[in-house]
Amino acid sequence: MEARGSGTPEEEGAGQRDRVSLASSSSGRYGSIAGGLAKSTTPLVGDAALSTRRSYLAVAVLCYLNLLNFMDRYTIAGVLLNIQKFFDINDSTSGLLQTVFIFSFILLAPLFGYLGDRYNRKWIMIGGLSVWLVMTLCGSFVNKKYFWVLVLMRALVGTGEASYSTIAPTIIGDMFSGGRRTIAISLFYVVLPVGSGLGYIMGSTIATATGDWRWALRVCPVLGAVGVVLLVFLCPNPPRGASETRGQGVAGRSSYLEDIKYLLKNKSFVWSSLGITSMSFVTGALAFWAPTFLSRAQVAQGSRQPCVAEPCDTSDSFIFGAVTVASGIFGVGLGTLLTRGLIGRVPHVDPLICAVGMLGCIPCLLAAIFLAARSIPVTYVFVFLGETLLSLNWPIMGDIVLYVVVPTRRATAIALQIMVCHLLGDAASPYIIGVISDSLSAYDPGSPQWRFHSLQYSFLLCPAVAVLGGVFYLVNALYITRDKMAAQRFSEGEQPTVLPKLGSP
């Protein structure tokens, strides 16, 4: 419902600029609406109306930067064997490179979520991305005696992703609605597995071509600088909630504590966040350790000699990257088609597809873990199938947050979700897998076969976590429809003077 004035054309024009106001009231519950659709004297921030061409150009730039984000994140995993030899570090210490990056990411995400719901989102992203580019480049010049400096640099790299990942989806959500939003979000998230795969490929290729793994860290900063320039000139800062209010926007005045209370009472948000956390644990462990696992499998088979000095054979990173790219594109495309084909015919279809993806990947993971000692090609087939099923979730999980949370709290919602899913997911899993592997390998430290089996047995934790993820999404299906309707009523201005109780019709 639009807030319109009445009377003169001037008054009607002013009414078109009115926005729903989330005002706190000392006498009411959190999130109450002061005076219903109260008029706001604050002018709209950004562009109230965007051309279709400019909107798609903005999505293209955001997708490009998202691609680089994930390329940079997994370049380290693509040259991990070389890094271990260069710094002379074990599995658990190697896992710290990913863990510190994710920890800084999740610690900073709530801050950027708070800022993203209140200030100019475009310039916040530009600032965070600039820190990312500088830190990645500086990390490529670290001397082998100063491994802790590389760890520090990787931690600071998290600033860029913390700012970008929390804010970029909300800008897309404010430029599109309905089916076009689903497509735009799908494009944004398809680059996650694609970027991850390209990170392995780029790292492996550049390390092999130059004989120095550090050159692999110098490509993304150059490409990223181009992306930041494009962001400055091509990305708008639309009003929050513009897509649901025909360009009017929704103004938020609630406190951060009120935002957190609202999100914790949103059952769809909570259960989908737990599902994403499980997925993040599995994908984080696979992304960081799978190339090393496959390399050790070939050593255990006797088809490859152990790496004793740089440069190590990184062909498994290249192949795993290609498999990740292919499975990501196919899985995200399939997930998008299923969602668009079944929406309206199958209730709560989104979390059901996510549950199928999580539970369906379990036999594939188990097959890949146990067949690696016998056949690497067959193992890659099951890796492809498992990653495809996991990738069904990428276009859906981002869309869920955008339609079950009111516009003025979306950046905070994404930030809180990022903090939880990465803290308990891909921040923890590389280190946990490394610690378990080191503990098991202590039984026979000089045996290449046991080095493989120690990592193999550590990977069995992933199917167990995938079971939990499937259950979380099934519970999510019980609440998704009603919470979506509640958020939609609020955005359209059809809500009562107090936010409806979440989970109720």
Side-chain angles (χ1 to χ4, degrees):
M1 182 177 69
E2 294 183 90
R4 297 182 180 272
S6 59
T8 67
E10 290 78 13
E11 291 174 331
E12 292 179 357
Q16 291 292 339
R17 294 191 296 273
D18 294 343
R19 292 181 289 171
V20 180
S21 186
L22 267 173
S24 301
S25 174
S26 58
S27 60
R29 290 169 53 190
Y30 72 89
S32 59
I33 308 300
L37 299 179
K39 293 185 178 182
S40 171
T41 58
T42 306
L44 290 176
V45 179
D47 304 303
L50 298 172
S51 68
T52 301
R53 180 174 176 272
R54 188 180 179 190
S55 297
Y56 282 113
L57 278 175
V59 170
V61 173
L62 294 174
C63 288
Y64 171 72
L65 285 166
N66 206 28
L67 181 80
L68 294 181
N69 259 320
F70 279 79
M71 281 179 62
D72 178 71
R73 184 195 288 197
Y74 290 106
T75 298
I76 288 287
V79 294
L80 186 60
L81 288 173
N82 288 303
I83 291 175
Q84 286 183 319
K85 293 302 175 184
F86 184 82
F87 290 105
D88 191 23
I89 53 178
N90 59 18
D91 287 352
S92 56
T93 304
S94 302
L96 282 175
L97 288 171
Q98 192 75 344
T99 297
V100 296
F101 163 76
I102 300 296
F103 264 107
S104 71
F105 177 24
I106 61 180
L107 289 175
L108 292 170
L111 170 63
F112 284 110
Y114 176 87
L115 297 174
D117 278 335
R118 291 160 174 82
Y119 301 102
N120 190 299
R121 293 174 287 183
K122 175 177 173 177
W123 292 106
I124 293 171
M125 287 193 299
I126 290 170
L129 290 171
S130 299
V131 175
W132 158 52
L133 298 176
V134 172
M135 290 301 103
T136 296
L137 185 62
C138 290
S140 69
F141 294 99
V142 174
N143 187 280
K144 65 175 61 179
K145 296 180 180 179
Y146 299 100
F147 175 71
W148 64 270
V149 176
L150 179 61
V151 172
L152 177 61
M153 295 296 180
R154 295 307 296 177
L156 294 174
V157 164
T159 304
E161 194 159 340
S163 63
Y164 189 78
S165 297
T166 55
I167 295 174
T170 69
I171 291 179
I172 294 176
D174 290 335
M175 291 191 296
F176 300 97
S177 62
R180 291 203 302 168
R181 175 191 284 174
T182 300
I183 294 174
I185 286 293
S186 297
L187 292 173
F188 183 78
Y189 282 107
V190 73
V191 303
L192 271 65
V194 172
S196 302
L198 290 177
Y200 297 110
I201 294 171
M202 182 188 71
S204 172
T205 302
I206 295 177
T208 301
T210 63
D212 188 347
W213 62 269
R214 291 175 295 183
W215 280 103
L217 298 183
R218 296 167 186 167
V219 176
C220 281
V222 176
L223 298 176
V226 175
V228 170
V229 173
L230 293 174
L231 188 67
V232 171
F233 292 104
L234 297 180
C235 185
N237 181 44
R240 293 166 181 85
S243 61
E244 290 97 340
T245 58
R246 300 183 184 181
Q248 291 179 253
V250 179
R253 299 176 187 169
S254 56
S255 70
Y256 189 69
L257 180 59
E258 289 172 334
D259 293 349
I260 298 299
K261 288 179 179 179
Y262 163 81
L263 293 171
L264 292 179
K265 290 188 176 184
N266 188 320
K267 294 179 180 178
S268 293
F269 172 77
V270 171
W271 287 108
S272 66
S273 296
L274 292 174
I276 294 170
T277 300
S278 303
M279 178 186 172
S280 180
F281 187 98
V282 176
T283 56
L286 287 174
F288 195 79
W289 286 114
T292 302
F293 170 70
L294 293 165
S295 177
R296 290 183 185 178
Q298 293 173 76
V299 172
Q301 293 173 11
S303 59
R304 178 182 296 178
Q305 293 299 314
C307 180
V308 294
E310 285 192 89
C312 299
D313 186 348
T314 57
S315 58
D316 291 296
S317 294
F318 187 94
I319 298 171
F320 181 75
V323 169
T324 301
V325 170
S327 63
I329 293 174
F330 184 69
V332 171
L334 181 59
T336 303
L337 289 175
L338 288 173
T339 299
R340 290 177 61 81
L342 296 176
I343 193 74
R345 291 192 288 172
V346 179
H348 36 261
V349 62
D350 286 348
L352 289 181
I353 293 175
C354 291
V356 168
M358 291 298 298
L359 297 175
C361 79
I362 294 171
C364 299
L365 292 176
L366 290 172
I369 290 170
F370 287 109
L371 290 174
R374 299 183 180 182
S375 173
I376 295 299
V378 174
T379 300
Y380 272 120
V381 170
F382 282 103
V383 168
F384 173 82
L385 294 174
E387 288 196 318
T388 296
L389 288 165
L390 287 170
S391 295
L392 294 178
N393 297 15
W394 287 120
I396 299 171
M397 64 185 193
D399 208 16
I400 287 176
V401 176
L402 293 177
Y403 66 64
V404 300
V405 175
V406 296
T408 54
R409 287 163 170 166
R410 285 173 182 165
T412 299
I414 293 172
L416 184 61
Q417 191 173 81
I418 284 173
M419 184 180 70
V420 174
C421 82
H422 289 297
L423 176 64
L424 302 178
D426 56 353
S429 59
Y431 184 70
I432 291 173
I433 296 296
V435 168
I436 296 173
S437 177
D438 281 344
S439 300
L440 294 175
S441 64
Y443 288 101
D444 192 358
S447 169
Q449 287 77 17
W450 188 243
R451 285 277 288 168
F452 161 69
H453 288 304
S454 63
L455 193 52
Q456 180 186 42
Y457 298 147
S458 302
F459 264 131
L460 290 175
L461 185 60
C462 292
V465 174
V467 173
L468 291 177
V471 172
F472 292 146
Y473 277 119
L474 290 175
V475 177
N476 183 196
L478 300 176
Y479 303 100
I480 191 80
T481 301
R482 289 176 292 181
D483 288 347
K484 178 181 179 179
M485 292 175 61
Q488 184 177 353
R489 287 197 301 267
F490 176 82
S491 296
E492 293 175 350
E494 298 176 2
Q495 74 291 336
T497 56
V498 177
L499 276 176
K501 185 177 180 181
L502 295 169
S504 62

